[in-house]
Every structure is written in structure tokens, then in C-alpha cells.
Amino acid sequence: MTLSEFYSKLGGNCAEVLKRIPSEQMLKKFVKMYQKDPSFSQLEEAVAQKDWQTAFRAAHTLKGVAQNLGLADLQRTASELTEALRGAKPLTQPELLDAVRISQKQIVDAMKELDA
Amino acid sequence: MANAGCGTDCEEQHVKIRPKILIADDSMMNRELLSEILGDEYVYLYAENGVQALEVLEQNLDVDLLLLDINMPVMDGFGVLDVMKRRHWIEELPVIIISAEDDAGFIQKGYDLGATDYINRPFNFMVVQRRVSNTLMLYGRQKRLMQLIEEQVFEREKTNSTMVNILSHVIESRNNETGIHLLHVRTLTDLLLRQLIKMTDAYQLDESDISMITTLSALHDIGKIGVPVEILNKPGKLTPEEWEIMKSHSLIGDSLLQSAPVAQDDPLMRTAHEICRWHHERWDGRGYPDGIKGDEIPISAQVVAMADVYDALTSERCYKRSFSHEQAVRMINNGECGAFNPRLIACLNAVAPELETAMHQENAASFDYQQESKRLTTEVLEKGEVQQDDRAQRLLSIEKTEVSFFSEQCGGIQFEYDHWLNRVIYTDWSAEPAKRRKTLYLSESDDTGILSKEDWARLRGLIWNSTRNKPDVEMEVLISTEKGARWHRVRARSIWTTERLGYAGVVGQITDIHEEVLARGLQTIENQKSVEQVYEGMEELRKLFSLVRLVDPVSCKVLTLSEDGVLTETDECCFAIWNRGECCDNCSSSRALAAENWTSKLELQGTTLYFVLSHYLTVGSRPCILEIASQLDECFDTNGEPAVPGQAGTFLLNFYRDALTRAYSRMYLDNFLPNLEHADGVAIVDVDKFKQINDTYGHPVGDEALKNIAAVILSCIRDNDTLIRYGGDEFLLIFSQIGEEVFFRRLTQIRDAVRASRLPSHPELQLDISIGGVYRVFPLAEAIRQADVRMYESKNTKAKMREEHE
């Protein structure tokens, strides 16, 4: 899968991102770096422990990372979750977290098919 | 932890050329993205939260730019900006905010706090690069230089010299002089040197020499650590032998410095040697230790000598009264007190009019560092010397070594408290090297480390009342050590900012004075020669302590001593007073007999705690033990304020009571575990929604609630039951002997009583507690654990019910 196909699969636009980050090589490097990013697991962990302050921060970070990488689906779902958790509010709409999980899974799956 | 990005040491050349950027962002991705985007034109440092960012800045004064994320754990970006602003860092160090917040208010707030620019997410390659390079351009080279000088030389020097001062002060305190003496000498040294360079350029002194000599003046008497206290504090005239010992302090100081593990040929070290060795030399060659004369005596030592003499004359000492400023100047002019360089006498006369006021205003902080650094910057720029940061670094590292050297000599525990970070760093010189340093963030936990929370509060109170002119505070505390509770003296000095913002922090030293306290309180008896005098001494002590008696440790009988010196053995057993049928396990008297010295222990009588001192002595020819016990609670009146200040009061510090709730403290539990081990009923009490009360009504109301709840519980329990404040809002209840049914009924009564109670200030506030109790579970630790589990179960059930209800 090319980088462009990767992005369209995840609701993003590769060409748009390349306006901000001019080298495709570098963008690919950043995208691959995402696999090491702990924000998603931190989010899951914090929600499980009902630590809403940390959950908010993790969702917020995840949103920022998605925004930087142009991962549009994740950016949208993470953003909605961030707003729901803002002020360390307990999560009352579990479907918001499920949406983030789906975005995350799609990214992880697509990453496997991405050209080296 | 924060780590330096690229190799910093191996590529020193590059480090100087490439600007240093600190990236503070909790997301690893973002940190890597930013450094990737900005490329290898820069050197990177990283921090994952606000406190770390401040620490990196503290340790790397050459950071050129801070990229700051707002949402971070521990301390957020606004918190960082706030501290930077208060420390005046923001004026020298540009900050670019990284923000995913589209909210304009966020960015506005950042600007208000002094941020230079902001970068929005998603990162745009070009924008990030441009903003960073533009910002760095704006903060030009001269500005950087200024910053380097100001922060490296002066800010650091200020802290370090304060440390050198306080350490010298610890040594000097043996001399019964006030710590202010060092500050006086410092101020006068500075004034004289400045006058000297105005009048002559014979001595080739530049600004950094002056600042160095001024700082090092604090060390002039360090050799006095080697002179016995009896000689230092002798009020009368010294015998010729004693005088020789006294004079040896200049040589002792010199050799102390020689044993310091630092480069001896450094200018700084050389100056320190000069001052320590030769500050008692005289211009006419009749001084000591070497009898050198005229300008053979280094100018540093000449100036400090004059400053020392002037301050000695104008202060009261154990052997003399004080002279007025005019008298002192006249005496120095007339050669009545030493012989000085005529040039220096001229300097003294020139500064004399401003001297008196300067001495009364001065302290370490009034020295204008900002002004100084500007002066030094100009000097450096004019000379075209730019390698000054080498020198600053050297100055710094040597001072650090010096500080640690003197600290080691003094021993004890040192602490530094940073008011803005709310951080304490303890250095315990008695611990093994790896465990010496301990850093605590007070906002994160209630643990204040070595000092108990109450003592910490007391110390903060003293510090709060300290002023620029009287920055030193002192108090005596009981500290729990491996050897049991021991008396310590805390000496601290508040550090003040250049602005009138209040204090910036505290440096201090904690020394074990247990032996001293014991000796002091009991000297009365110690010096008695005859049996009658023992009687008189005991009568004296009875005024101070609730129990003073003589005991035969072999027969375990109490002895009486009559006024005319007749010693009689009574039928009373010494252990009867502690409600025991046999000799105490921890019998301090037999230990005292074995050691022929003082020993101490804590004893419980009913619910009252006693501090017992035992001292071996012979009355007539009979060996016996003098026992002195003081009730630890009696020093508090009904308001919980210490009622017996000084004297016995220092013994009677309320060590085991929680100052707020009057319940016992956790320390009590730790020290009396064996006495409580077989209690029937154990319960954990936790205040419901305590955090919410604090958050909604504020901490004073939270405190009031705790106080109220503790009072209600105390009113529901018997005298021989024990209430301990176990954690912030957690209490531990221990019922020594109680039936099972009564125990559980009592717990219900307590809960109902708390629910029914009202806070006078907020009657609308519904107080509630959760209790978990266990009956006859042993050992106590297990009982507490199980009670805790039950308490949580009850709390969860309640929460669930509330949820369903809603």
C-alpha cells in the first residue's frame, strides 16, 4: 500500500499533509513512529482506572498526534472524546471511546500493509 | 527523565555554535516530530512535564529557546510560564507555546504570561522552522551574553555563597556570635574594595575579583572548627596557652582548604587560602601566623582583616561590650586595634559616612545582582573577552565542591527548599553516598521527609516571619532516627529575591543536638558535689518536670532523699508507676547504670505519654539512678498552643499529637505498636467526599471538618481507647478491651454522631464517614489491613446506592 492509499483508508488526505511536511520520506518515518506512541494505551489504562484527569490528557495528546500526522478519523474521534473528558469529567458515553478504538484498529491494520 | 539530545560533552565546539532548544511536551511523538522538523542545526533537551522543564532550565543555563506544550502532567505549561515569570527567566529566555488548542483564550493567556510566540497543531514544517529561527534571531548575542553572566555567575553564586555562609555560620555558632557577623564582614569587604579601586589601581582588581573576595570573606574563620568551645566562648582573658590555641585557627583553616579535593592553584582557591591564613596579619608585621608585613599580605586578607576588626569592635562579644561606629573608626585610625595599610584606612574613612546605614540595611539579598551583572557585562564587552563562561563554570564548579566539602565537615542533614517548585532536597551526610540526596515535591504528597508535618508547618511559620534583615531562623525538634527520637536543631536562612516578592526558598542545616539538650536540661544535677546539693537540684528539677525521683536499679525500689541528705529505700517499686507488676522490658535505668550515663525512653501511663530520662549518679557512695519524666502532653493548653515555652517546654514538644485534630499522630502508632498489639477492636474511619469538601469550600473548611469529626469521635470513645490520625482524612481507632457487640454498636454510634454534627461555619454541609471494623484480628497490622478493606467496601456500597438513587 502506498502512503496515499494508506491515508485515504484512514479518512485523511496525503497531498494535504505533504503541504505541511514537504518530504514523503519524512512523513512515512513519522507515520511509522506512531506505532511507538503510548498515548492510546495510556488512554485505555486511565479509563480502566477511572483516572479521568489522565484520561483527558491522553485523549488530548492522541488528538494532537493524529492532527500532526493528518490521521483524520482518529483526530475526529479523539477530539470528541477529549471534549467529553475535559475538566476530568467521568466518561458517560462509552461509544465515544469505542469510536477511538475503531480508528486506532484501522490505523494499526493499515500500518501492516504499508510499503516499507 | 530529561536527557540531553545530542552529545554535549564530546562536541563542545558545536555546542557553542548551535543554539540549545528545550522541548517540553508530554508526547514522545511530538518531541521527536519537532526535533526532526527543526533538524540538526540545534541541540535538543527534552522534558516530559512542567517541573522537569524547570529543572532542566535550572541545570542548563545556556538554553536558548523553550518550546512549551500547555497540557502536561505534574505541572502544565502555564505553571511553567508563571514560575519563569516570577524568577525573571522569561525576560531572558524566549518561549514558544505549542498548542493544539484552537481556543484563542489559551494563546492570549500564554502571551500574557510572557510567551514570545506560538505554534499551532498540526505542525507545518515551514512555519515551525521559521518561528524558531526568527525568535532566536531576535534574542541576540549580547542578550545571551548578559543572560549567561547574570545567571551563571550571579544567580548561582548567590545561592552558593548563601550556602557557604550558612555552613560557616554553623561553625561560627560555636563561637556564640551571630550569623550576621559574616554578612557584615561581607558588606564591608565589598564597600572597602570598591572604594579601593576608586582610589588606586595598584592592586589590579576587577569586578570578578571583588565578587570573589567578597564571597570568600565568609570563610575567614572556618579554622575555628578546630578550636575547643571552652576557649572560643571563654568570657574572661585567655591564658597564654589558650591564646596560642585560639591563634591556631588561621593555620587550621588553611590546612582545611588544602585537604579540599579541588585544584589548589585556581584563583578562587588561592584567594580562599589567603583569607583564611592571613586575616590576622598586621601591616607592621606583628600579626600571626607568619608575621608578614606591608603588601606582602595579599590585599584580600588585608581587606577582610579590617572588616573583621571593624565588626568585632562594633558588636558585643563574650569578652567585651560594643563600641559605637565612630569609636570603632577612630580606634582603627589610631592603631588601637591592629595595624592597617594606610590606603585601606583612607578607604574606611571615605566609606565611613555610608557604612553605618549600609550595615543596618544589608544582607545577602540587598546585594544588587542585576546591577552587578550589568556592570560585569559592560566590562567583559569592553575588554572583548568572551570566554567568561569558562570562568563562570569554573567558579561554579569550585564553589560547588567547596560547599560539599564544608557540608561534609559539618555533617548532619542539609536541606534546600524551593518555594516556587514547592520542592525540598535533603542531603543526609550520615547516609551512604547513594542515599544521601532525597528530593520531595510537597504538592504531590503529605510527606515532608525528615521533619514531621507539624514541625514543617512550624518552620514555615518562622520562615514566614523572617525578613531580609533577619533571614536566620532556628528551632529545636524531635526527629525520628534509627536510634529513636532524637533532638535536633534546625538552622535555616531564607533566600530573598531581588524584587520585593517575598522569599524564594530556604537553605538550612539540621544537626543532632540530643546530647546537648540532655546535658543542658540536667546540668543542675550534674554539677552537684554533695548529697545536699543533689537534693537541692532535684527540688529545682521538680519545678520543671512532673516526675523526679531516685531509684535503685538493682533492687528496683524508689529511694527518698531528705533535706539533710539522708537516703532511704522505700517499699515502692520503681515500675509500679507504669502500672506494671514487674521490671520494665525497656528499663532505661539499668541501661543508664550499665552505661554510667544518660539514657531515655518513652512510657505510657493510661493514655498519657511520658518522656523518661535516666541518669546515673552516686549519692553518698551509693550508685543510683535519677529519673526524670515529663508528660508529653502537658505543654499544650486548651487551644493546642504550647503553654510552657523554653525550659521544660523544649522537652515536652508535642510529638505524638496531630496539631489539627488532637488525635494521636501516626508516629505514635509506630512507636507504641507493642502496647496496642493486643487490642480487641480495630477500626478505620474515612471521611466521605473529603476532597470534594476541600475543592468546594477550600482547605480551611476541610480542616475544620476534620477537626470536628475528630472531636465527635473523641467524645464517643473511652479514655483508654486510642484515636490516631492515620492519613490525610483517615483515622485509626483502637479499642483495647471491649466486647464484640459493644464494639460494633460503638462504631454505629460514632457514624450517627458524625452525621448529626454540623460545622458552625457551614451548617448546610452534610458530614459523613465510612467505617470498617474488625474484632480480635491479630497482629495489629493485619487488623488494620482488614479494617481498611471493610471501610472501602462500605464506601463503595454507599456510592453505589447514591448512584442508583440519582
Side-chain angles (χ1 to χ4, degrees):
Chain A
M1 194 179 358
T2 65
L3 201 55
S4 181
E5 287 163 345
F6 173 82
Y7 267 98
S8 42
K9 212 165 190 179
L10 301 170
N13 181 339
C14 187
E16 279 300 312
V17 183
L18 284 173
K19 281 182 193 162
R20 293 190 285 112
I21 299 171
S23 143
E24 189 161 337
Q25 203 51 41
M26 190 175 267
L27 179 58
K28 199 175 256 180
K29 191 171 159 191
F30 290 159
V31 165
K32 291 206 164 148
M33 237 192 259
Y34 179 76
Q35 289 169 297
K36 287 191 293 172
D37 187 77
S39 309
F40 179 76
S41 50
Q42 276 166 2
L43 172 66
E44 288 280 23
E45 206 173 300
V47 171
Q49 289 174 356
K50 301 198 187 328
D51 177 353
W52 304 117
Q53 184 60 43
T54 308
F56 163 72
R57 227 170 18 235
H60 186 276
T61 307
L62 196 62
K63 177 183 101 172
V65 170
Q67 200 177 5
N68 274 331
L69 295 178
L71 300 169
D73 280 344
L74 180 64
Q75 187 193 330
R76 183 175 43 76
T77 54
S79 174
E80 280 166 15
L81 182 63
T82 305
E83 292 317 311
L85 291 170
R86 190 179 289 279
K89 280 202 294 284
L91 184 61
T92 49
Q93 299 160 270
E95 63 275 16
L96 293 179
L97 180 60
D98 291 336
V100 173
R101 286 182 177 138
I102 292 167
S103 309
Q104 168 75 7
K105 186 167 186 317
Q106 282 170 347
I107 293 170
V108 173
D109 289 344
M111 199 81 82
K112 288 180 195 146
E113 296 171 40
L114 188 61
D115 299 339
Chain B
M1 264 327 236
N3 55 327
C6 303
T8 44
D9 293 325
C10 53
E11 298 171 296
E12 217 164 306
Q13 272 323 97
H14 291 278
V15 173
K16 288 231 166 81
I17 300 158
R18 293 189 297 173
K20 238 182 207 179
I21 299 180
L22 169 60
I23 303 178
D25 195 314
D26 59 329
S27 158
M28 181 265 292
M29 269 295 281
N30 284 338
R31 293 194 300 268
E32 295 206 5
L33 273 173
L34 283 170
S35 36
E36 197 73 35
I37 291 173
L38 291 168
D40 45 17
E41 278 175 57
Y42 307 104
V43 176
Y44 301 98
L45 300 170
Y46 302 105
E48 293 170 18
N49 62 55
V51 168
Q52 235 180 53
L54 290 170
E55 280 175 353
V56 174
L57 290 179
E58 232 169 42
Q59 284 151 20
N60 298 274
L61 301 168
D62 54 346
V63 169
D64 296 283
L65 174 67
L66 169 60
L67 294 179
L68 182 66
D69 184 24
I70 292 300
N71 263 302
M72 286 189 290
V74 191
M75 180 192 272
D76 69 10
F78 292 135
V80 174
L81 284 170
D82 196 39
V83 172
M84 289 182 67
K85 190 173 178 176
R86 289 204 248 171
R87 291 185 173 181
H88 301 279
W89 290 355
I90 200 86
E91 295 150 23
E92 316 288 340
L93 175 66
V95 179
I96 297 180
I97 292 177
I98 313 159
S99 168
E101 301 292 340
D102 321 312
D103 182 359
F106 250 69
I107 292 157
Q108 187 57 46
K109 188 170 173 194
Y111 277 132
D112 289 346
L113 283 166
T116 315
D117 206 342
Y118 74 96
I119 297 173
N120 242 339
R121 290 198 189 104
F123 296 151
N124 182 318
F125 213 93
M126 291 297 290
V127 173
V128 173
Q129 286 184 336
R130 192 58 60 79
R131 297 238 160 113
V132 166
S133 64
N134 281 351
T135 306
L136 284 171
M137 288 249 290
L138 281 171
Y139 282 72
R141 186 162 162 280
Q142 182 160 345
K143 188 134 190 166
R144 269 185 70 202
L145 184 59
M146 165 88 187
Q147 178 194 347
L148 275 172
I149 291 171
E150 177 166 336
E151 299 201 344
Q152 289 192 337
V153 184
F154 292 106
E155 287 298 320
R156 283 299 161 135
E157 187 198 349
K158 184 164 60 174
T159 322
N160 279 325
S161 66
T162 309
M163 208 59 217
V164 170
N165 273 344
I166 199 162
L167 292 169
S168 325
H169 172 49
V170 169
I171 297 161
E172 189 174 354
S173 66
R174 290 164 24 103
N175 203 7
N176 282 354
E177 290 167 9
T178 66
I180 296 301
H181 171 60
L182 291 176
L183 291 173
H184 283 174
V185 169
R186 183 192 173 110
T187 306
L188 188 49
T189 301
D190 184 61
L191 279 172
L192 288 172
L193 285 169
R194 293 198 181 289
Q195 186 61 36
L196 186 67
I197 55 167
K198 268 190 222 164
M199 291 166 70
T200 171
D201 52 9
Y203 296 100
Q204 303 273 316
L205 296 164
D206 65 18
E207 287 292 340
S208 45
D209 293 323
I210 292 179
S211 103
M212 185 167 72
I213 297 171
T214 308
T215 302
L216 293 174
S217 69
L219 300 178
H220 67 275
D221 271 344
I222 51 163
K224 283 191 177 166
I225 197 165
V227 179
V229 180
E230 299 76 39
I231 296 181
L232 285 178
N233 294 337
K234 188 175 173 181
K237 204 171 156 54
L238 296 179
T239 66
E241 296 77 30
E242 286 169 338
W243 181 236
E244 282 311 310
I245 297 172
M246 181 65 126
K247 275 158 66 174
S248 68
H249 82 267
S250 51
L251 286 173
I252 295 173
D254 187 43
S255 56
L256 263 178
L257 289 172
Q258 257 162 36
S259 56
V262 292
Q264 298 287 329
D265 54 354
D266 186 272
L268 192 106
M269 221 39 207
R270 217 166 43 224
T271 308
H273 277 294
E274 290 168 3
I275 293 172
C276 285
R277 188 179 180 102
W278 288 314
H279 70 279
H280 284 294
E281 296 292 355
R282 291 165 53 113
W283 185 252
D284 58 8
R286 288 172 47 232
Y288 64 88
D290 298 317
I292 51 176
K293 64 178 179 182
D295 273 327
E296 282 168 24
I297 310 165
I299 192 65
S300 56
Q302 290 188 38
V303 173
V304 173
M306 178 177 273
D308 190 27
V309 164
Y310 171 86
D311 191 58
L313 284 172
T314 51
S315 326
E316 198 170 300
R317 293 286 165 88
C318 59
Y319 48 87
K320 66 171 248 317
R321 65 187 174 85
S322 68
F323 294 101
S324 73
H325 162 74
E326 291 77 14
Q327 279 173 314
V329 172
R330 198 173 54 237
M331 287 167 82
I332 292 173
N333 268 286
N334 295 345
E336 289 169 52
C337 206
F340 294 97
N341 186 339
R343 277 184 177 133
L344 277 185
I345 293 181
C347 290
L348 178 71
N349 293 333
V351 298
E354 52 177 310
L355 193 54
E356 213 181 355
T357 31
M359 289 300 220
H360 286 103
Q361 285 170 355
E362 54 84 46
N363 75 23
S366 69
F367 185 67
D368 190 339
Y369 286 93
Q370 204 126 23
Q371 201 51 44
E372 275 306 301
S373 67
K374 278 184 189 137
R375 193 150 38 177
L376 189 52
T377 310
T378 320
E379 187 184 290
V380 169
L381 286 173
E382 276 171 5
K383 282 190 192 164
E385 289 172 9
V386 200
Q387 75 279 39
Q388 90 301 326
D389 53 344
D390 271 3
R391 180 175 160 67
Q393 288 296 357
R394 211 173 50 220
L395 202 100
L396 243 175
S397 79
I398 289 173
E399 277 207 26
K400 268 189 185 152
T401 319
E402 273 201 0
V403 166
S404 73
F405 169 73
F406 290 118
S407 312
E408 231 170 324
Q409 296 291 318
C410 295
I413 302 163
Q414 257 173 47
F415 63 92
E416 296 166 44
Y417 169 64
D418 185 312
H419 179 55
W420 289 312
L421 289 181
N422 211 10
R423 177 189 67 187
V424 190
I425 300 174
Y426 287 103
T427 314
D428 182 352
W429 291 100
S430 65
E432 43 184 294
K435 292 182 180 161
R436 274 185 189 160
R437 256 171 103 82
K438 188 175 171 197
T439 305
L440 289 168
Y441 290 96
L442 299 182
S443 51
E444 283 182 358
S445 70
D446 282 344
D447 185 10
T448 51
I450 291 149
L451 292 182
S452 75
K453 222 153 102 183
E454 292 72 29
D455 288 333
W456 183 252
R458 205 150 62 90
L459 179 62
R460 284 183 79 150
L462 288 174
I463 297 285
W464 187 253
N465 288 325
S466 73
T467 62
R468 276 167 204 275
N469 293 330
K470 285 194 168 166
D472 292 349
V473 301
E474 192 178 310
M475 64 178 217
E476 289 177 0
V477 294
L478 262 177
I479 290 177
S480 164
T481 69
E482 282 174 4
K483 288 180 268 177
R486 292 181 68 82
W487 284 96
H488 285 72
R489 177 181 294 124
V490 180
R491 272 216 171 93
R493 171 171 299 171
S494 47
I495 306 171
W496 298 78
T497 50
T498 41
E499 309 280 303
R500 294 208 167 266
L501 290 171
Y503 75 102
V506 178
V507 289
Q509 171 101 8
I510 303 173
T511 346
D512 186 324
I513 52 157
H514 203 68
E515 309 303 326
E516 198 184 303
V517 169
L518 294 189
R520 187 180 60 201
L522 298 147
Q523 228 164 11
T524 343
I525 288 284
E526 196 92 321
N527 298 333
Q528 308 304 325
K529 293 284 183 296
S530 68
V531 181
E532 287 83 358
Q533 280 171 326
V534 173
Y535 173 84
E536 281 168 27
M538 284 175 69
E539 285 302 299
E540 207 43 49
L541 284 172
R542 285 200 173 99
K543 291 178 194 159
L544 302 176
F545 301 99
S546 51
L547 172 74
V548 178
R549 60 178 190 174
L550 288 171
V551 164
D552 184 321
V554 181
S555 67
C556 289
K557 297 289 188 207
V558 177
L559 306 171
T560 58
L561 183 62
S562 68
E563 198 167 352
D564 48 4
V566 181
L567 196 63
T568 329
E569 186 168 307
T570 66
D571 291 338
E572 193 192 344
C573 292
C574 60
F575 41 80
I577 195 167
W578 311 119
N579 297 325
R580 287 204 180 91
E582 57 188 57
C583 191
C584 314
D585 296 337
N586 57 347
C587 176
S588 57
S589 297
S590 54
R591 284 188 286 130
L593 179 70
E596 295 199 359
N597 206 337
W598 288 105
T599 56
S600 62
K601 67 169 177 176
L602 292 161
E603 266 296 348
L604 202 62
Q605 187 191 56
T607 55
T608 314
L609 187 65
Y610 286 87
F611 181 56
V612 186
L613 289 170
S614 303
H615 180 51
Y616 169 85
L617 79 169
T618 47
V619 179
S621 56
R622 182 170 183 168
C624 45
I625 299 297
L626 172 74
E627 280 192 359
I628 298 167
S630 38
Q631 199 181 323
L632 277 177
D633 281 351
E634 74 185 15
C635 58
F636 281 78
D637 64 16
T638 44
N639 298 321
E641 296 299 322
V644 189
Q647 300 182 34
T650 54
F651 278 100
L652 304 173
L653 186 82
N654 198 336
F655 191 46
Y656 291 101
R657 287 276 194 200
D658 176 46
L660 175 70
T661 60
R662 312 297 305 134
Y664 284 113
S665 68
R666 182 100 179 223
M667 196 74 80
Y668 176 89
L669 180 66
D670 294 341
N671 288 348
F672 290 90
L673 203 61
N675 300 10
L676 303 165
E677 198 58 85
H678 301 289
D680 285 339
V682 171
I684 289 277
V685 179
D686 190 88
V687 182
D688 286 350
K689 296 184 179 176
F690 182 65
K691 190 177 175 302
Q692 217 170 305
I693 297 175
N694 267 332
D695 290 350
T696 319
Y697 297 90
H699 285 276
V701 178
D703 285 353
E704 196 189 338
L706 278 182
K707 214 165 155 176
N708 177 72
I709 290 168
V712 171
I713 297 175
L714 284 170
S715 73
C716 294
I717 61 176
R718 303 164 301 176
D719 277 348
N720 52 348
D721 300 330
T722 311
L723 177 68
I724 295 168
R725 187 163 174 202
Y726 195 59
D729 58 342
E730 244 187 357
F731 294 91
L732 173 64
L733 257 170
I734 297 177
F735 296 83
S736 50
Q737 285 179 322
I738 197 166
E740 185 166 6
E741 224 188 286
V742 188
F743 168 64
F744 285 105
R745 201 166 54 229
R746 183 65 46 83
L747 295 185
T748 317
Q749 282 167 359
I750 289 172
R751 202 192 55 209
D752 293 344
V754 169
R755 282 184 184 168
S757 73
R758 288 286 171 269
L759 291 189
S761 69
H762 291 81
E764 76 281 9
L765 187 59
Q766 175 64 59
L767 295 173
D768 203 352
I769 51 175
S770 300
I771 308 184
V774 289
Y775 190 71
R776 291 213 171 145
V777 174
F778 308 110
L780 185 60
E782 177 58 19
I784 294 174
R785 197 192 63 78
Q786 289 186 19
D788 205 43
V789 170
R790 289 204 182 173
M791 184 276 293
Y792 271 106
E793 283 168 1
S794 128
K795 190 167 273 236
N796 287 339
T797 318
K798 244 194 271 181
K800 219 180 228 162
M801 279 168 60
R802 213 165 30 232
E803 251 178 53
E804 280 166 16
H805 186 71
E806 282 163 14

